[in-house]
């Protein structure tokens, strides 16, 4: 039986918590059963993604009925109130190779022989009807991305960094912004105090004065394209456009310490936001088999580093993530012809 704590559905405490609640935790039996389904899929998702995802769709019907029911209930949850889904003890690969620090992406393609984590990420996307997409400027169009250090990007604000990562919405100022970010932790070292951090848009907006919220609606802010997109350079994107931080009523487009105001009034807003984000954040130390889904339009996330006991272990810390959208068809004008869901940029 699938275990659920359902804490996120309960009335919020008046005391601000500093962690996100567990929605589900798989038993060992459940984890092993789903592992057995995924290990039977032999297609390599990095070379044959379309066949891989078709095989994943075939597996969905074999999942425990109570898990499918929970997922159906999850689809109806108010994402503005509950933008995070946290599932523990998910199946991941049993052999976790160590990648080359200089070129971890190509190293993974050579060394990784099973695709259990990729399979679970795909299962979740299929069950939630939120397919994954890729970007030609990010790992040459791979659908699955490693949060894994790389020497040339060790001081960047990207998934390859060795330093703290500011609060952000993934691809905040890109012309195709994902609706969801799904992450699976693969390897960590407990003595290294590295935390994944989260803030709900709702909490930030509730903490800001009305006059600042009005300034956030104006196109007086600038966020450069993300470091990883610009590092690849397959497609030259030029300068990102000035933008509003707040779009519609609750959609925040922001990257801590990268989004700046083009005048003093706007910069004061950025400075206030940066201060508030760290007062109201949630955080977890993700361990192998921890899965988190973020509603990218209703939250921001980042990474805190409090203490590093072993830098070599930090260099091999690893999670896998996907960028997911509510509709593939919505962005089809931006896809590379002949490539399944790969954005040309």
């Amino acid at each position: 039986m699938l275990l659920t704590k359902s804490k996120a559905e309960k009335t919020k405490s008046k005391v601000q918590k500093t962690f996100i609640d567990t929605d589900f935790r798989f038993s060992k039996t459940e984890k092993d059963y789903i592992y057995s389904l995924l290990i039977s899929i032999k297609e390599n998702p990095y070379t044959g993604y379309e066949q891989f995802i078709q095989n994943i769709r075939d597996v969905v019907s074999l999942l425990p009925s109570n898990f499918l029911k929970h997922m159906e209930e999850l689809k109806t949850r108010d994402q503005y109130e509950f933008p995070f889904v946290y599932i523990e003890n998910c199946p991941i690969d049993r052999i976790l190779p160590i990648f080359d620090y200089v070129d971890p992406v190509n190293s993974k393609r050579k060394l990784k022989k099973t695709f259990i984590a990729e399979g679970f990420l795909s299962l979740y996307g299929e069950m939630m009807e939120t397919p994954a997409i890729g970007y030609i400027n990010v790992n040459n169009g791979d659908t699955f991305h490693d949060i894994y250090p790389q020497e040339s990007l060790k001081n960047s604000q990207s998934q390859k960094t060795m330093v703290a990562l500011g609060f952000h919405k993934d691809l905040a100022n890109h012309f195709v912004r994902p609706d969801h970010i799904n992450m699976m932790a693969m390897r960590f070292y407990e003595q290294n105090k590295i935390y994944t951090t989260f803030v709900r848009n709702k909490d930030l907006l509730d903490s800001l004065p009305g006059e600042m919220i009005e300034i956030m609606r104006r196109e007086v802010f600038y966020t450069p394209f993300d470091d990883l997109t610009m590092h690849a350079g397959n497609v030259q994107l030029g300068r990102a456009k000035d933008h509003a931080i707040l779009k519609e009523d609750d959609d925040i487009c922001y990257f801590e310490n990268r989004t700046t105001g083009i005048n003093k009034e706007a910069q004061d807003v950025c400075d206030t936001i940066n201060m508030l984000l760290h007062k109201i954040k949630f955080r977890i130390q993700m361990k192998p088999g921890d899965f988190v889904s973020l509603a990218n339009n209703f939250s921001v996330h980042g990474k805190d580093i409090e203490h590093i006991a072993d830098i070599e272990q930090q260099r091999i810390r690893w999670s896998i993530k996907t960028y997911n959208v509510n509709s593939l068809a919505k962005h089809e004008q931006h896809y590379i012809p002949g490539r399944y869901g790969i954005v040309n940029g």
Side-chain angles (χ1 to χ4, degrees):
M1 297 291 290
L2 183 69
L3 302 179
T4 176
K5 297 181 182 177
S6 299
K7 291 181 181 177
E9 302 296 343
K10 298 180 180 178
T11 303
K12 284 185 61 182
S13 169
K14 293 182 180 179
V15 178
Q16 176 66 42
K17 295 178 296 187
T18 58
F19 56 90
I20 61 173
D21 293 307
T22 302
D23 290 286
F24 307 116
R25 178 178 174 82
F26 288 109
S27 69
K28 183 180 185 304
T29 300
E30 292 162 348
K31 181 176 73 170
D32 290 347
Y33 171 67
I34 298 174
Y35 179 95
S36 71
L37 295 177
L38 295 174
I39 198 66
S40 69
I41 298 174
K42 303 304 181 184
E43 195 69 48
N44 184 326
Y46 299 95
T47 57
Y49 180 75
E50 290 188 63
Q51 184 58 54
F52 178 81
I53 203 66
Q54 182 55 57
N55 292 339
I56 288 293
R57 291 170 184 148
D58 294 340
V59 164
V60 170
S61 63
L62 302 177
L63 294 172
S65 59
N66 59 337
F67 180 48
L68 293 174
K69 179 182 178 182
H70 280 300
M71 295 300 290
E72 286 299 316
E73 293 172 353
L74 200 58
K75 286 162 63 174
T76 67
R77 193 157 77 174
D78 183 347
Q79 292 184 2
Y80 183 59
E81 289 285 341
F82 304 105
F84 314 122
V85 176
Y86 179 28
I87 303 177
E88 294 181 295
N89 205 36
C90 302
I92 63 171
D93 304 80
R94 293 175 180 171
I95 297 176
L96 301 178
I98 294 175
F99 306 143
D100 178 57
Y101 183 43
V102 174
D103 188 7
V105 175
N106 285 313
S107 180
K108 179 186 70 174
R109 291 172 181 152
K110 295 176 182 177
L111 297 176
K112 196 169 190 294
K113 304 301 183 182
T114 60
F115 309 102
I116 306 304
E118 292 91 340
F120 187 87
L121 287 163
S122 299
L123 276 176
Y124 185 88
E126 288 298 307
M127 286 185 285
M128 294 297 286
E129 299 179 20
T130 54
I133 60 173
Y135 295 79
I136 195 61
N137 272 5
V138 184
N139 300 340
N140 293 317
D142 281 351
T143 305
F144 303 96
H145 306 272
D146 299 305
I147 302 172
Y148 196 108
Q150 178 174 325
E151 185 175 32
S152 59
L153 289 165
K154 64 184 179 182
N155 294 314
S156 68
Q157 289 290 281
S158 77
Q159 60 188 237
K160 307 298 185 187
T161 189
M162 288 276 284
V163 300
L165 187 58
F167 277 103
H168 64 285
K169 187 184 303 292
D170 271 28
L171 297 156
N173 207 18
H174 198 283
F175 51 86
V176 176
R177 178 150 40 107
D179 298 299
H180 306 272
I181 309 300
N182 297 335
M183 300 186 292
M184 177 74 82
M186 303 291 283
R187 181 168 51 226
F188 91 135
Y189 182 66
E190 188 171 7
Q191 284 69 41
N192 283 346
K193 301 306 179 184
I194 302 174
Y195 299 90
T196 305
T197 55
F198 313 89
V199 167
R200 302 189 304 170
N201 288 5
K202 180 182 187 300
D203 294 330
L204 179 60
L205 293 172
D206 286 348
S207 301
L208 286 163
E211 59 270 22
M212 284 195 170
I213 290 177
E214 288 307 309
I215 296 170
M216 290 166 64
R217 299 183 189 279
R218 304 173 194 166
E219 293 185 354
V220 291
F221 301 93
Y222 172 69
T223 306
F225 291 118
D226 66 279
D227 282 348
L228 195 60
T229 295
M230 299 305 290
H231 179 79
N234 292 323
V235 176
Q236 297 301 314
L237 299 179
R239 183 189 186 277
K241 295 180 180 178
D242 293 342
H243 63 92
I245 288 177
L246 183 61
K247 300 180 180 181
E248 300 178 352
D249 291 328
D250 46 35
D251 185 3
I252 294 174
C253 178
Y254 195 76
F255 201 131
E256 181 189 3
N257 297 324
R258 287 172 64 83
T259 298
T260 55
I262 64 175
N263 58 43
K264 183 181 184 304
E265 188 179 43
Q267 185 57 45
D268 286 345
V269 171
C270 292
D271 294 341
T272 300
I273 289 174
N274 291 344
M275 178 272 295
L276 286 172
L277 287 169
H278 289 275
K279 290 184 65 176
I280 61 178
K281 65 188 174 187
F282 303 85
R283 70 182 193 175
I284 56 174
Q285 187 178 32
M286 291 184 68
K287 58 189 180 299
D290 280 1
F291 168 90
V292 174
S293 180
L294 315 168
N296 199 38
N297 296 320
F298 300 112
S299 66
V300 291
H301 63 283
K303 181 181 71 175
D304 283 350
I305 299 179
E306 280 194 356
H307 173 71
I308 298 299
D310 189 327
I311 195 168
E312 294 303 321
Q313 287 293 326
Q314 185 188 10
R315 285 197 182 105
I316 62 174
R317 181 178 182 267
W318 179 22
S319 295
I320 297 181
K321 77 175 184 178
T322 54
Y323 300 115
N324 296 67
V325 293
N326 292 329
S327 168
L328 278 177
K330 177 182 177 181
H331 306 291
E332 61 184 356
Q333 74 210 61
H334 298 296
Y335 298 145
I336 296 174
R339 298 287 300 276
Y340 179 88
I342 305 302
V343 176
N344 190 26

